[in-house]
Amino acid sequence: LNGGCHTFPSSSPTTTTTTVPSTQQHVINYKVPATYDGVTPKPHGLLTNFCHKESIHPNNTVGLLTAASMETFSTSSRGARGVNVDVIVTAGLSNSRSSGADADYFTIVCEDDDDDDDDDHKMTPGTINTIIVVDTPLSPEARVEAYAIAIEAKCNACVDHGVSCAKDPTKFGMGTGTDCCALLSPCREGTTEKKDGTRKRKSIVKYAGKHTLFAEMIGQAVYEATSEAIMINIHHLHYNYALYSIRRWIRTSTATMVGARPCLSPNPMDPIPNAPPSVILMGVSSVLLIYVTPLPERTRMLLAAVVWDRYLGEVPVGVHPVCIAGRAITKCVSLAPNRVYQNPVLGFVSGFVFMISMICTFVCGGWIFVRCTDILATRGPTLFDRVCYSEGYCDRTLANASFDLLAWILQLLLFKSAFSLQLLCTIALQMARFLERDRLPEARAQLTWLCSRDPSALSSSDLAGGTLESLSENLSDGFVAPLFWYVLLGPVGALGYRIANTLDSRVGYRGRYEWFGKSSARFDDLINVVPARIAALLL
């Protein structure tokens, strides 16, 4: 290498007062089989045994493990103004991760140095190991800055070669989950003799910020060696870069088709985050493709609504019919006098009238909305007769198709607002994330998306059980039943069901609403008789 053969003395003081010769420092990049799980044998024991076999003192050795092929062994060197930098890299990519990717292992603090908690954790092979050798002493500041530059250069190499995250292929991998980087440089101890016979302390590299020449050398050498190692790995696993690119595109497309699961606010009334652009594009394309397929109208609407739910998320809360109904129910209930809830007969009659009024109001509103969209599809193009068609600026066929599509999408949104499966999956997965990470306050807040019980005193097992119970119930209420009533009565039927179900969720409880909500609860039971049994079969 550019810096030659390096032998650096140890700066560690001995425990005795006798002067002891300095010992050599070693760095080992130990190749393990691809089947090695990181547990058996223990990494420390594995490296210690190797040191003893090679007559190397373990206490003066830095050990790195890799399952990557040694064919990826790559080097790069830079030198300037008497300072030499050598970089050695081996690269495996099967364990690639982006920064902030979902964890595989959730223990943070171990009980002792034996790491007994690691026994059940199986490592995925694939590591980028980087060894940087500098033949000039570094100040503490320069060491920290040099590490940062080296990591950034490695990340740049990964991005430039399109390394994707194994957890989420739509994101770039910035390395792997088990990357290691070792930086070696001599100590500043001792002096050097000048030509005039005087002695001075050894020179050091004081800084390594991005504007310095030393940072340029570190960054270029690490990037060059890492790029070469990644390319060798790609050719080793995929035979050529073109095939690697095709497989990467397939993984990215498959991950995009999974749909969006953005993090949700604990408050159910807060806006739901938008899906990534790639997922939105997939959803829009799929909905338009379904629109032009020669299928029966209700079949097209049903498929498009499921796709919309999967990729494009929810209708905005401000115009969501079910949310509007929920706010209206809450407001009306708060304005009712207390005697309505205290008198059983008055409460039951008032609750029955209130239920009929709310369902009829929103069902009639939905029916009017559908009729208006039909009128828009048939008469919309005539609005532009004088402006466009008479002057020849517009094509009548294109205008008819555009208004047909607009009316169809509006009816699709009305139907989509009656159910939500993707949101249930998102809530369940996010609850699992909170429980895995022992984040109980967030998990308790998350439960309010699913049910109205008080979660303040619930344990992890209670939260998990409550989530599963609520998901089972909401599978029927929030997905199976709306689709069932859509098949029977169309979009207005699905909306009417959701209004009745919302009434049950707001007032169908014992206690204050014992009699006022009884008719809503019983009616909800009635319209769920068949859908609930279908949901039970699905479970």
Side-chain angles (χ1 to χ4, degrees):
L1 297 176
N2 187 39
C5 182
H6 301 281
T7 301
F8 300 145
S10 171
S11 62
S12 303
T14 60
T15 57
T16 64
T17 57
T18 305
T19 302
V20 178
S22 298
T23 57
Q24 292 183 347
Q25 306 291 296
H26 298 86
V27 176
I28 299 172
N29 190 20
Y30 187 78
K31 173 72 168 67
V32 297
T35 56
Y36 179 61
D37 58 7
V39 176
T40 307
K42 295 283 188 178
H44 184 272
L46 189 66
L47 290 168
T48 300
N49 291 337
F50 178 80
C51 289
H52 290 155
K53 186 183 299 183
E54 298 294 326
S55 300
I56 299 173
H57 201 294
N59 292 340
N60 297 324
T61 302
V62 175
L64 292 74
L65 297 178
T66 181
S69 170
M70 281 300 152
E71 293 180 8
T72 66
F73 182 94
S74 302
T75 63
S76 181
S77 300
R78 291 292 187 277
R81 298 183 180 273
V83 177
N84 296 303
V85 175
D86 299 319
V87 175
I88 303 170
V89 175
T90 57
L93 302 177
S94 58
N95 189 27
S96 57
R97 291 289 186 275
S98 62
S99 56
D102 288 347
D104 298 303
Y105 179 51
F106 302 100
T107 298
I108 298 178
V109 180
C110 299
E111 294 294 332
D112 50 46
D113 293 337
D114 292 334
D115 295 339
D116 290 336
D117 292 334
D118 293 357
D119 289 342
D120 295 331
H121 179 60
K122 307 299 183 182
M123 293 288 185
T124 302
T127 297
I128 300 178
N129 282 344
T130 307
I131 301 173
I132 306 169
V133 183
V134 182
D135 65 355
T136 304
L138 305 179
S139 69
E141 298 88 347
R143 285 197 294 269
V144 173
E145 291 170 332
Y147 266 116
I149 294 294
I151 300 307
E152 289 182 16
K154 179 197 69 175
C155 293
N156 286 341
C158 291
V159 171
D160 288 349
H161 288 84
V163 177
S164 57
C165 175
K167 281 283 187 178
D168 183 359
T170 62
K171 298 179 180 178
F172 283 115
M174 300 297 176
T176 77
T178 50
D179 286 356
C180 288
C181 180
L183 173 62
L184 290 84
S185 66
C187 303
R188 199 186 181 189
E189 293 181 353
T191 58
T192 59
E193 185 174 350
K194 300 174 68 175
K195 291 182 179 180
D196 59 3
T198 60
R199 304 184 71 84
K200 69 172 184 178
R201 295 189 67 189
K202 290 180 180 178
S203 299
I204 66 169
V205 177
K206 193 171 183 180
Y207 300 111
K210 287 189 177 69
H211 59 285
T212 65
L213 178 59
F214 182 68
E216 174 191 305
M217 295 161 58
I218 289 277
Q220 290 181 359
V222 172
Y223 178 86
E224 185 176 285
T226 306
S227 295
E228 182 180 348
I230 290 175
M231 284 301 299
I232 295 173
N233 181 276
I234 289 173
H235 284 276
H236 178 72
L237 295 178
H238 304 280
Y239 304 107
N240 58 69
Y241 196 83
L243 187 58
Y244 162 73
S245 299
I246 293 173
R247 290 176 176 173
R248 184 185 65 197
W249 180 83
I250 292 174
R251 288 197 303 270
T252 303
S253 301
T254 303
T256 302
M257 293 176 64
V258 169
R261 290 188 175 91
C263 293
L264 301 173
S265 168
N267 183 7
M269 297 308 295
D270 287 347
I272 297 174
N274 293 324
S278 59
V279 175
I280 293 177
L281 179 61
M282 176 69 72
V284 172
S285 302
S286 300
V287 169
L288 293 178
L289 180 63
I290 293 172
Y291 173 72
V292 299
T293 54
L295 295 172
E297 176 62 25
R298 286 201 177 182
T299 303
R300 284 193 300 146
M301 183 74 69
L302 181 60
L303 292 176
V306 173
V307 169
W308 188 294
D309 175 70
R310 184 66 169 169
Y311 295 103
L312 302 179
E314 299 300 313
V315 178
V317 173
V319 295
H320 199 296
V322 179
C323 294
I324 294 174
R327 292 193 292 268
I329 293 169
T330 301
K331 185 65 175 178
C332 293
V333 168
S334 65
L335 295 176
N338 287 331
R339 65 176 181 272
V340 171
Y341 308 118
Q342 295 172 352
N343 188 305
V345 176
L346 180 60
F348 180 82
V349 173
S350 300
F352 179 79
V353 172
F354 178 66
M355 178 192 71
I356 297 298
S357 301
M358 291 298 298
I359 294 176
C360 289
T361 298
F362 280 90
V363 167
C364 290
W367 182 84
I368 293 172
F369 181 83
V370 172
R371 297 284 75 77
C372 289
T373 58
D374 291 338
I375 294 173
L376 178 66
T378 55
R379 299 186 181 180
T382 62
L383 299 176
F384 299 91
D385 281 345
R386 181 176 300 178
V387 178
C388 295
Y389 309 130
S390 60
E391 302 295 334
Y393 296 134
C394 303
D395 180 52
R396 186 61 180 262
T397 303
L398 178 62
N400 289 337
S402 299
F403 278 96
D404 284 341
L405 176 61
L406 177 61
W408 185 77
I409 290 177
L410 291 175
Q411 292 187 22
L412 173 64
L413 291 176
L414 178 67
F415 172 41
K416 165 61 193 77
S417 66
F419 74 92
S420 178
L421 180 62
Q422 179 63 49
L423 185 60
L424 287 177
C425 295
T426 302
I427 294 169
L429 291 173
Q430 189 161 314
M431 178 67 78
R433 286 173 55 86
F434 289 147
L435 294 179
E436 285 174 337
R437 290 155 180 80
D438 207 21
R439 295 165 57 181
L440 291 184
E442 292 94 335
R444 289 170 180 147
Q446 191 73 41
L447 194 64
T448 59
W449 279 89
L450 298 173
C451 60
S452 58
R453 72 176 71 177
D454 181 14
S456 58
L458 297 181
S459 64
S460 296
S461 58
D462 295 332
L463 289 168
T467 300
L468 292 175
E469 293 172 6
S470 298
L471 284 175
S472 300
E473 179 182 358
N474 282 293
L475 176 63
S476 174
D477 295 347
F479 183 68
V480 175
L483 266 59
F484 174 81
W485 287 105
Y486 168 78
V487 171
L488 292 182
L489 301 175
V492 176
L495 177 64
Y497 166 80
R498 286 298 292 160
I499 301 304
N501 184 252
T502 303
L503 281 164
D504 174 61
S505 65
R506 293 301 177 95
V507 297
Y509 297 103
R510 297 187 182 276
R512 177 179 173 82
Y513 303 122
E514 173 75 27
W515 293 99
F516 184 82
K518 189 173 290 293
S519 55
S520 297
R522 293 293 176 263
F523 184 68
D524 182 72
D525 294 340
L526 178 64
I527 59 179
N528 271 300
V529 169
V530 176
R533 279 137 184 88
I534 297 175
L537 292 175
L538 294 176
L539 291 174

